Amino acid sequence: MPRLGCTGTGRRGGPVSAPGAALLNRPTVPGSGRGLGTQLLLAVISGGYAVGAALNWGSEEVAEIMGDFGLSAAGLLAAVSCYSYARAIDRRERPAWLLFAFSSLMGACGNAVWGWYEVVLGQDVPKPSLADFAFLCFAPPAIVGLLVLAKRPVTRAGWVCLGLDSWLIGGSLLTLSWSLALAHAAQTAQSGAPGSVPRAALSLAYPLLDIALVSMVLVLHFRRSETNRSAVNTAIAALALTVLSDALFTSPLLSAGYQSGQLLDAGWFAGSLLLAYAPWGARRMHPPPEPPGPSRAERPHSRPISGSLPALTPYLAAAVCTLGILYNVVDGRKVDRMVVFTGCTVVLALVIRQGIMLLDNIALTQELAQKENHFRSLVQGSSDVIMIAAPTGTLRYVSPAAAGVYGREAEELIGTELATLIHPDDLGRVVHEVRRFLAAPPADEPTTRIECRFASGDGEWLNVESTVNRHQGGLILNSRDVTERVRLQAQLQHSAEHDPLTDLPNRALFTRRVRQALSGRRSGDHSTAVLFIDLDGFKAVNDTIGHQAGDELLVEAARRLQDSVRAGDTAARLGGDEFAALIIGDGSRDRGAREYQVHEIAERLRTTLSQPYRISGSEVRVAASIGVAFADPGITPSDLMRNADLAMYRAKAGGKDRVELYAPQMQAEVVRRAELAGRLRTALHDGEFALLHQPVVSLATGEIAAVAATARWRSAQGILFTPAEFLRVAEYSEGAATAGPDASRTAELGRWLLEEAVEEAADRHRAGHDVPVAVRMTAQRLLDRAVPLASVEALLTRHGLPSGALVLELAVSDPRVPFDDLERRLTALHRLGVGIALDGFGSGYAAISALRRLPVDMLKLDRGLVEGVAESARLHKITAGLLRIANDLGMRSVADGVDLPEQVMALRAMGCTHGQGTAFSGPLDEYRLRRALVRGTFPVPGGAAQPALAGGSPGGSMVIRRGSHNETPVPPT
């Protein structure tokens, strides 16, 4: 171990002050067992060295080896560790760790030289020697390294204060050290003895360097950089431990009898190990959490002093100087000029330091006043209400904007409990959110947003949105009135979910309610039902008294529906004249009981909706067709609503104004029709349709007056469908998918039938058979854009068929058909020379309206009248009356479905001019039809007879005769 005269040589080896060393005792995070094991190993090695030194290592030789080469090995380990860490990092503190490595290396070299003399050569170390040079080189690199790690001031005043702080610490320590030991060394140098000057210089150099190092350690502790704080604190602790060992060694009590390997060496040894551990062990410890507030980059760097410990530094320095002077006075010695000079400079530095602090405080006060005025003007001028609540929930500050927002003065709200101002229904939610927010880490969640109802001065509740921040254990609330926004959002939400005319829930909201009923706590309640309601005859109301009256009727129907359902049920308007109701079940498992109960509710709704409506001073009547479907186990909302829709259409098909319960066969019927419609569409492309013609015969002469075109479909499976079967499917597809692909397929079938009939009729006309062809067409299809007016004229022109050789048999059975459009369309066709026959006359409500408004040339009696005309006296009178009307209007009449001879005779006796049925011939293919046309007549049961009534020729062709303007005389309306 190195010694120098009576003072000896200090040992350098590793870093940290007491506060920095305390960081090592902080518990590491879970999972850091490796770091804890390293710390335990470090403690065990240092403790083992201390125990060995306390026991003098068992022998003087071992003590010298451990005291010299042991310290050299520890210093070398610290040098290698710091150097390796410096190469591994890419930061501005790399030079500091390289300097620490060089400092430790100098300490290791000094101890190695000392051991060379004591252990290897067995000689006393020369005074001075290379060891002294190495030991003197320990402190300067460490001091420079600490300066590198220190937080650099950004202002000139900051640099001045840094120098003053260093001198306050260093000067006070110099005063005390000079009084204790350094004065004696200086007197020895002045004695003039041989070798006294070098020894005195060395005796003064070591303590002075230690004082400088201690000063930098303390200053760095107050001004250390924020980066890698754990490693820096550990390094500071290692240097502090080394300086403390040096200070103990230079004391008169230990320096005289010190030998290598004693207990004091344990301090140098532990300091070196701690410095070796500093850069690597600190990596395993998480950095301390960032405190709330401004970030490090935003914190002011110009303040020379921050915190309580730096503020006490000048007073501690003055106290240390005083102790140094008192030591000389109490010891009875004359006060040394060095002590007086150093003390004066410390006092002068203290005065300057305090002056700078005073100026800094004045500037800080002015800056704070300016900022306070600035933020006060912002707060008071803000339209938002800013409130500060104490941790107890009491309002301590309320901005003046409260008067305009809440209608209450700010002074009135100060001192009020915040909880008393929040709506009771919102208070629990607000308290829960505030507690959650306060429990969250500030760095993860600096603010939160709360929306609640707040009491205003006029007793109303305002919707308030607040941004909440933490403030000294309490809260800062930045609140604004969002009542109008909430009201607008509620209106938009209501508009999106309700029908604008009736204010009932629309289809989207109704579907969501059905979904909630099927998936909520009532999901096991299978008595829940959905009702689909359609107003029968509503289209006629729109057509007769106008859409405004129709809207009034819908509003009144919605009111009746809403008043008729129970409180927990939902009434909705799905669109047009369709309504729906969701009937929540009572949990009954008895299917019969639930069907009876819901059926009773549906009947009550039907009766209520079918009562007369008073609209615009007139009494209007509509009926209600209602379909009911129950929520069977496992059903989906879409399937439940589909079932109710099917049941409603079944109610309309069954006569309207009735209630129909859904049955599984309804869906099976839909599937069957859909399959048949699909096969029908395929048949159009595969050419499976054949066109047949049935002769229309004069009942007076038996001559063929016209032919009625009809289609037959022989499927690929060999099944022969009659026209009634596949046309019913086509019409169903047309009604169910007016705008879809099924509608286009049925339109394609209609076009095919018309084109084939015209083409074959033109061929027969060129062959000399001048008989008209009749093609049946529904009013809906005639009004469809798929059959434009120009296409009929182009078709006749393309095939060369005379204009009077085409008759359209019009079927008017749907009350939704607009007669105005139909009248315009038929009038245009009539001007082209196309004959118009009213098909199905005698059935349906539209017959009289059609006769009154449409340009009809002939009437075709419905098959239902013809079938019983010979047996039923009632039908006989009805048919006779209808035929009398036709003859009075100058129209020809055709009886459809004449299958029996007695029907022929009865119809002829009543004045019917023509007939069509198996009594004469069934549908014929083109070859048989031409043979029949060559023959020209069919035998008439009862023989030929003259017509009973005038109005048309008794026989011959049904070619339409035109006047000068090609118009059919229509009776006045």
Side-chain angles (χ1 to χ4, degrees):
M1 216 24 216
R3 310 158 191 81
L4 185 61
C6 63
T7 58
T9 304
R11 302 312 184 101
R12 324 300 196 257
V16 167
S17 64
L23 292 175
L24 298 178
N25 297 326
R26 295 183 182 178
T28 58
V29 295
S32 59
R34 183 178 177 185
L36 181 61
T38 305
Q39 295 175 11
L40 291 176
L41 179 62
L42 179 65
V44 169
I45 295 175
S46 300
Y49 190 95
V51 171
L55 300 178
N56 202 26
W57 300 102
S59 67
E60 185 176 354
E61 291 78 6
V62 177
E64 289 182 349
I65 293 174
M66 297 302 297
D68 295 333
F69 292 112
L71 293 182
S72 179
L76 184 60
L77 177 63
V80 173
S81 175
C82 293
Y83 177 75
S84 301
Y85 179 67
R87 294 190 58 185
I89 62 176
D90 187 14
R91 301 174 183 173
R92 78 173 186 87
E93 63 263 26
R94 172 183 291 181
W97 292 100
L98 291 175
L99 291 171
F100 290 156
F102 180 74
S103 179
S104 300
L105 181 61
M106 291 295 99
C109 292
N111 283 300
V113 172
W114 200 279
W116 173 264
Y117 282 104
E118 280 193 335
V119 178
V120 178
L121 301 180
Q123 302 175 4
D124 292 334
V125 181
K127 304 177 182 58
S129 65
L130 290 177
D132 296 319
F133 174 78
F135 289 139
L136 288 176
C137 291
F138 172 83
I143 294 173
V144 177
L146 291 175
L147 287 173
V148 173
L149 292 178
K151 185 189 298 183
R152 298 168 182 169
V154 295
T155 63
R156 184 178 302 174
W159 284 104
V160 173
C161 289
L162 177 62
L164 292 176
D165 289 341
S166 301
W167 175 244
L168 285 173
I169 297 173
S172 58
L173 293 179
L174 178 59
T175 302
L176 184 59
S177 301
W178 190 272
S179 301
L180 294 177
L182 298 183
H184 178 71
Q187 292 175 1
T188 302
Q190 294 176 0
S191 62
S196 59
V197 175
R199 292 182 181 181
L202 289 176
S203 299
L204 292 175
Y206 287 115
L208 291 177
L209 290 175
D210 287 338
I211 289 173
L213 188 56
V214 169
S215 301
M216 292 310 304
V217 166
L218 294 177
V219 171
L220 179 59
H221 177 67
F222 297 141
R223 297 175 174 272
R224 61 187 178 274
S225 175
E226 298 293 338
T227 57
N228 201 7
R229 295 183 60 181
S230 298
V232 173
N233 286 335
T234 308
I236 293 175
L239 292 177
L241 184 58
T242 302
V243 171
L244 178 61
S245 300
D246 286 347
L248 292 176
F249 178 74
T250 57
S251 64
L253 296 176
L254 297 179
S255 60
Y258 174 79
Q259 293 182 355
S260 296
Q262 292 184 352
L263 186 60
L264 188 59
D265 290 349
W268 288 306
F269 184 81
S272 297
L273 290 185
L274 195 59
L275 182 60
Y277 168 77
W280 309 105
R283 276 188 165 187
R284 302 187 183 97
M285 303 174 63
H286 284 290
E290 180 72 16
S295 63
R296 292 189 180 107
E298 297 172 349
R299 295 173 188 166
H301 297 280
S302 60
R303 305 300 167 206
I305 296 178
S306 61
S308 58
L309 288 178
L312 293 176
T313 302
Y315 306 103
L316 294 176
V320 172
C321 286
T322 304
L323 289 177
I325 297 174
L326 288 177
Y327 177 80
N328 284 275
V329 174
V330 172
D331 197 30
R333 293 183 294 176
K334 183 180 178 180
V335 178
D336 194 280
R337 288 177 296 178
M338 184 63 181
V339 174
V340 175
F341 175 77
T342 305
C344 291
T345 56
V346 169
V347 172
L348 179 61
L350 177 60
V351 172
I352 297 175
R353 180 68 174 79
Q354 292 300 98
I356 294 177
M357 180 181 291
L358 178 61
L359 295 176
D360 186 74
N361 289 337
I362 293 175
L364 179 61
T365 303
Q366 294 176 351
E367 183 180 349
L368 290 177
Q370 292 176 357
K371 289 184 177 179
E372 182 179 0
N373 293 333
H374 175 68
F375 285 108
R376 184 181 298 275
S377 63
L378 290 178
V379 170
Q380 293 181 351
S382 174
S383 59
D384 293 347
V385 180
I386 299 176
M387 300 181 294
I388 300 178
T392 59
T394 305
L395 293 177
R396 298 188 305 186
Y397 173 79
V398 180
S399 66
V405 176
Y406 299 146
R408 306 176 67 175
E409 295 297 331
E411 292 77 8
E412 179 186 351
L413 292 175
I414 294 176
T416 306
E417 292 289 338
L418 185 59
T420 61
L421 302 175
I422 300 175
H423 195 283
D425 295 342
D426 299 339
L427 183 58
R429 175 175 54 83
V430 172
V431 171
H432 178 269
E433 174 61 21
V434 168
R435 289 178 177 175
R436 184 203 63 78
F437 170 65
L438 293 177
D444 296 341
E445 190 173 4
T447 63
T448 188
R449 191 178 299 273
I450 296 176
E451 188 169 333
C452 64
R453 286 167 288 180
F454 202 86
S456 64
D458 55 5
E460 296 183 355
W461 293 101
L462 302 176
N463 292 94
V464 175
E465 182 185 66
S466 301
T467 302
V468 184
N469 296 270
R470 299 172 181 84
H471 176 69
Q472 297 179 359
L475 299 173
I476 294 181
L477 298 95
N478 190 347
S479 306
R480 62 198 60 86
D481 182 10
V482 293
T483 304
E484 289 301 324
R485 188 193 72 186
V486 172
R487 185 179 294 116
L488 178 60
Q489 288 177 345
Q491 291 176 354
L492 293 176
Q493 183 71 18
H494 183 85
S495 300
E497 295 180 342
H498 290 77
D499 175 58
L501 178 63
T502 63
D503 202 39
L504 289 179
N506 58 15
R507 182 181 294 271
L509 180 57
F510 183 77
T511 303
R512 185 160 66 250
R513 295 273 179 88
V514 173
R515 184 178 297 106
Q516 291 172 353
L518 297 183
S519 61
R521 59 184 181 88
R522 293 180 176 268
S523 58
D525 184 3
H526 307 312
S527 59
T528 297
V530 168
L531 280 61
F532 266 43
I533 306 163
D534 186 83
L535 299 181
D536 303 321
F538 175 75
K539 181 65 168 59
V541 174
N542 275 343
D543 292 340
T544 55
I545 60 178
H547 290 275
Q548 179 65 32
D551 290 344
E552 295 179 15
L553 189 148
L554 290 175
V555 172
E556 177 63 20
R559 186 190 62 78
R560 295 184 184 183
L561 178 60
Q562 184 68 48
D563 294 341
S564 300
V565 298
R566 301 171 303 178
D569 300 335
T570 299
R573 182 190 178 203
L574 304 183
D577 60 343
E578 290 189 357
F579 295 85
L582 172 63
I583 308 299
I584 301 299
D586 56 2
S588 173
R589 297 288 181 174
D590 187 351
R591 184 179 183 88
R594 68 170 180 164
E595 288 185 358
Y596 175 80
Q597 180 186 20
V598 175
H599 193 276
E600 186 180 43
I601 295 174
E603 283 290 347
R604 185 172 69 250
L605 289 176
R606 184 193 63 79
T607 302
T608 301
L609 294 175
S610 300
Q611 295 295 323
Y613 294 83
R614 195 72 181 174
I615 305 297
S616 301
S618 303
E619 187 176 275
V620 178
R621 290 181 178 271
V622 295
S625 297
I626 301 178
V628 182
F630 289 94
D632 293 327
I635 196 170
T636 62
S638 59
D639 289 343
L640 179 59
M641 296 175 65
R642 180 206 61 197
N643 293 346
D645 196 20
L646 291 176
M648 185 265 290
Y649 278 108
R650 176 58 63 90
K652 293 178 72 67
K656 303 179 180 179
D657 193 18
R658 55 181 294 177
V659 175
E660 189 79 29
L661 298 181
Y662 171 78
Q665 56 266 28
M666 295 181 185
Q667 178 64 21
E669 176 69 14
V670 171
V671 173
R672 187 189 69 82
R673 286 186 174 183
E675 292 177 352
L676 190 56
R679 291 160 58 188
L680 176 64
R681 293 191 298 270
T682 304
L684 286 172
H685 289 287
D686 295 346
E688 297 178 3
F689 281 94
L691 186 65
L692 304 179
H693 295 83
Q694 190 172 22
V696 178
V697 179
S698 171
L699 297 182
T701 63
E703 294 180 0
I704 301 177
V707 291
T710 182
R712 284 292 190 274
W713 172 23
R714 184 178 299 278
S715 69
Q717 293 79 15
I719 302 175
L720 182 66
F721 293 100
T722 65
E725 290 177 313
F726 67 76
L727 287 178
R728 183 168 59 248
V729 172
E731 291 171 3
Y732 169 80
S733 301
E734 179 180 352
T738 305
D742 288 336
S744 63
R745 297 303 181 187
T746 53
E748 186 178 349
L749 176 61
R751 287 195 298 271
W752 177 87
L753 179 62
L754 181 61
E755 291 179 2
E756 287 292 320
V758 170
E759 182 179 0
E760 293 188 8
D763 291 341
R764 291 191 297 271
H765 181 74
R766 286 190 290 271
H769 304 294
D770 299 331
V771 291
V773 60
V775 180
R776 185 179 184 274
M777 183 175 291
T778 65
Q780 294 93 331
R781 180 56 53 200
L782 186 63
L783 294 177
D784 192 352
R785 294 180 180 179
V787 188
L789 174 64
S791 65
V792 177
E793 183 179 12
L795 185 64
L796 296 175
T797 303
R798 183 169 67 251
H799 294 288
L801 186 66
S803 60
L806 176 63
V807 178
L808 294 182
E809 296 179 350
L810 184 68
V812 183
S813 59
D814 193 340
R816 295 176 294 181
V817 173
F819 265 82
D820 294 338
D821 297 342
L822 185 60
E823 182 181 5
R824 287 192 295 269
R825 188 63 180 273
L826 289 179
T827 301
L829 288 173
H830 202 264
R831 289 171 179 168
L832 292 177
V834 178
I836 306 298
L838 187 61
D839 189 22
F841 188 71
S843 65
Y845 87 100
I848 300 301
S849 297
L851 284 178
R852 182 174 62 89
R853 301 182 59 179
L854 303 181
V856 179
D857 297 310
M858 66 189 69
L859 300 179
K860 192 170 186 178
L861 294 180
D862 185 68
R863 179 182 293 269
L865 295 176
V866 176
E867 286 177 352
V869 70
E871 296 86 4
S872 173
R874 185 179 183 88
L875 285 179
H876 188 280
K877 293 180 179 181
I878 294 174
T879 305
L882 295 176
L883 290 172
R884 187 175 295 109
I885 292 174
N887 283 281
D888 289 344
L889 295 177
M891 300 180 183
R892 291 177 175 81
S893 55
V894 179
D896 186 19
V898 182
D899 299 330
L900 302 174
E902 52 267 26
Q903 294 173 347
V904 175
M905 292 184 290
L907 290 168
R908 184 175 59 185
M910 287 185 286
C912 183
T913 59
H914 297 82
Q916 170 186 341
T918 56
F920 304 104
S921 173
L924 304 175
D925 57 21
E926 186 65 20
Y927 173 75
R928 291 183 174 84
L929 176 62
R930 294 204 177 193
R931 291 181 57 187
L933 291 176
V934 170
R935 188 170 64 247
T937 59
F938 287 96
V940 179
Q946 294 298 323
L949 299 173
S953 61
S957 175
M958 291 174 59
V959 178
I960 307 301
R961 307 297 180 187
R962 303 296 175 202
S964 59
H965 297 287
N966 291 333
E967 291 182 352
T968 300
V970 178
T973 59

